[in-house]
């Protein structure tokens, strides 16, 4: 048997700031998967994201933003001997900031994009993520681009905290993976 309940709500607000544009997005979600043989998990996610695109300054188009995410979880295992999270409840957070500059080197021919995202999260720590892209448009129908970047991935709660029984020891107690 598998039961699932959940809901989410998303709100977005866009507005003009000077000659630029701003965007604020808020998101909340609750997920409750339940398997009677294993237990019930509740995950509450709250996310807030702000972006500001400035008016072009010469050949530069700048955009920057800030983000915050909170993930609160709690698990009620039916049996601690099969699958569990350790700790059984917690609150993880992700803080982020980014800045990006798209520079026109030669109109309709060459552009370079320089940017970075800085992220600090409670599961893997501080993660800088730089990005450089170069776009060449030799004709109106053709484009070539190349990029270099460093990306990171935040581990899931299951990767960070799951524990599974893989067998039983001589004394009858579980062996944890």
């Amino acid at each position: 048997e598998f039961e699932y309940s959940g809901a989410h709500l998303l709100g977005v607000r866009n507005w003009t700031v000077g000659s630029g544009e701003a965007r604020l997005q808020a998101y909340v979600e609750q997920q409750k998967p339940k398997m009677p043989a294993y237990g019930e998990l509740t995950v509450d996610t709250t996310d807030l994201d702000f972006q500001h695109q400035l008016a072009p300054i010469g050949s530069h188009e700048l955009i920057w933003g800030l983000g915050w995410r909170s993930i609160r979880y709690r698990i009620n295992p039916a049996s601690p001997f099969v699958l569990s999270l350790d700790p059984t409840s917690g609150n993880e957070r992700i803080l982020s900031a980014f800045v990006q500059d798209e520079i026109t080197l030669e109109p309709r021919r060459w552009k370079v994009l320089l940017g970075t995202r800085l992220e600090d999260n409670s599961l893997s720590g501080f993660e800088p993520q730089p990005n450089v892209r170069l776009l060449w448009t030799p004709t109106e129908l053709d484009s070539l681009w190349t990029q270099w970047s460093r990306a990171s991935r935040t581990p899931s709660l299951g990767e960070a905290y799951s524990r599974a029984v893989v067998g039983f020891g001589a004394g009858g107690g579980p062996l944890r993976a």
Side-chain angles (χ1 to χ4, degrees), residues 108-109 135-144:
R108 301 195 320 188
R109 283 271 189 232
L135 174 67
W136 176 46
T137 309
T139 71
E140 287 189 27
L141 300 176
D142 300 307
S143 293
L144 294 170

Side-chain angles (χ1 to χ4, degrees), residues 26-167:
Y27 178 77
V28 292
E29 176 185 60
Q30 183 176 74
Q31 298 180 47
K32 290 183 98 173
K34 182 178 181 181
M35 295 179 70
Y38 299 103
E40 180 178 334
L41 173 67
T42 301
V43 180
D44 297 315
T45 303
T46 306
D47 187 86
L48 194 59
D49 185 58
F50 172 77
Q51 292 185 11
H52 182 203
Q53 182 172 0
L54 284 71
I57 304 168
S59 60
H60 297 265
E61 293 184 37
L62 293 164
I63 185 169
W64 66 277
L66 301 169
W68 170 79
R69 175 175 284 189
S70 170
I71 304 166
R72 191 177 73 216
Y73 69 92
R74 53 193 177 281
I75 187 169
N76 298 318
S79 167
F81 300 115
V82 180
L83 179 65
S84 65
L85 293 180
D86 184 20
T88 57
S89 66
N91 190 4
E92 304 301 336
R93 57 115 188 100
I94 301 170
L95 300 170
S96 64
F98 80 92
V99 64
Q100 174 180 297
D101 185 7
E102 185 175 304
I103 307 165
T104 300
L105 302 174
E106 183 182 338
R108 301 195 320 188
R109 283 271 189 232
W110 290 96
K111 283 189 179 186
V112 65
L113 184 140
L114 305 171
T116 192
R117 178 181 179 89
L118 304 173
E119 187 172 283
D120 186 45
N121 70 73
S122 54
L123 289 169
S124 61
F126 181 72
E127 300 278 358
Q129 300 174 62
N131 183 14
V132 178
R133 297 178 189 185
L134 181 65
L135 174 67
W136 176 46
T137 309
T139 71
E140 287 189 27
L141 300 176
D142 300 307
S143 293
L144 294 170
W145 64 273
T146 186
Q147 83 167 31
W148 172 85
S149 61
R150 178 191 182 275
S152 67
R153 186 179 71 78
T154 303
S156 71
L157 295 174
E159 289 172 302
Y161 300 127
S162 65
R163 303 291 180 259
V165 171
V166 294

Side-chain angles (χ1 to χ4, degrees), residues 8-14 23-28 47-49:
H8 67 267
L9 179 64
L10 173 68
V12 178
R13 171 81 166 109
N14 296 303
R23 174 185 175 102
L24 181 63
Q25 178 174 299
Y27 178 77
V28 292
D47 187 86
L48 194 59
D49 185 58

